Amino acid sequence: MFKNLSPNIKSSITRSITQTFEQYMSDIEWSGEKFSIDDYIASWREYITEKALWYSKIPDDMKNDPEFHEDLAKRINEIIARILSEPPSEEQVVEIQSMQEVLDTHYEYHCKAEAIYVETLLKNKINA
């Protein structure tokens, strides 16, 4: 069912999943202990119903179809797996290591998105 959507809507859905996941993870400080898929899905649902322009373009009968929800769940899982498996860039690693030496901190990061979070956190500490 998901594959029947226009490329623009599929792209918008992918962006919304990515943005809300990265924001959710930032909100919980990339803590595995604080992570809850239910909380993430709730934040994504809130985003799509209140802010996503693509949501109103999907017919209600499709939104209510269990197959559509299964397809979305698969897509969410795929995108989260992709985000978590993308390694930080060499530039990020160098920049973070440099800031950690200055601040004498030891933040860990395992993927590019988490490295962005750590880099922002460290920059804010340096600029404070």
Side-chain angles (χ1 to χ4, degrees):
M1 186 166 269
F2 185 81
K3 59 187 162 212
N4 296 335
L5 296 172
S6 76
N8 287 342
I9 290 180
K10 286 193 264 188
S11 177
S12 293
I13 290 171
T14 297
R15 258 191 320 279
S16 69
I17 294 168
T18 302
Q19 290 171 343
T20 57
F21 180 74
E22 290 176 358
Q23 182 60 55
Y24 170 76
M25 292 305 292
S26 179
D27 291 346
I28 64 165
E29 301 172 330
W30 279 85
S31 168
E33 292 81 35
K34 294 179 184 176
F35 179 79
S36 162
I37 192 67
D38 293 332
D39 290 345
Y40 164 68
I41 295 298
S43 69
W44 185 70
R45 185 173 290 126
E46 180 182 336
Y47 174 84
I48 65 170
T49 57
E50 294 179 12
K51 298 177 184 171
L53 300 175
W54 60 265
Y55 190 71
S56 63
K57 296 177 183 173
I58 296 178
D60 286 341
D61 61 326
M62 184 181 280
K63 290 179 200 171
N64 295 324
D65 190 316
E67 183 182 339
F68 180 67
H69 289 275
E70 287 176 27
D71 289 349
L72 277 176
K74 287 178 189 171
R75 188 71 185 137
I76 288 169
N77 288 334
E78 290 168 2
I79 292 168
I80 290 173
R82 186 190 74 221
I83 291 168
L84 296 176
S85 66
E86 185 176 4
S89 70
E90 289 182 34
E91 295 82 14
Q92 285 177 304
V93 172
V94 168
E95 181 73 17
I96 290 170
Q97 284 177 332
S98 173
M99 288 188 287
Q100 294 216 78
E101 287 174 13
V102 169
L103 295 167
D104 193 30
T105 59
H106 305 285
Y107 290 100
E108 292 185 17
Y109 50 96
H110 305 287
C111 65
K112 185 175 187 169
E114 187 176 15
I116 290 169
Y117 168 78
V118 170
E119 195 171 11
T120 302
L121 183 73
L122 294 172
K123 283 179 182 176
N124 289 340
K125 286 183 181 231
I126 286 174
N127 294 328

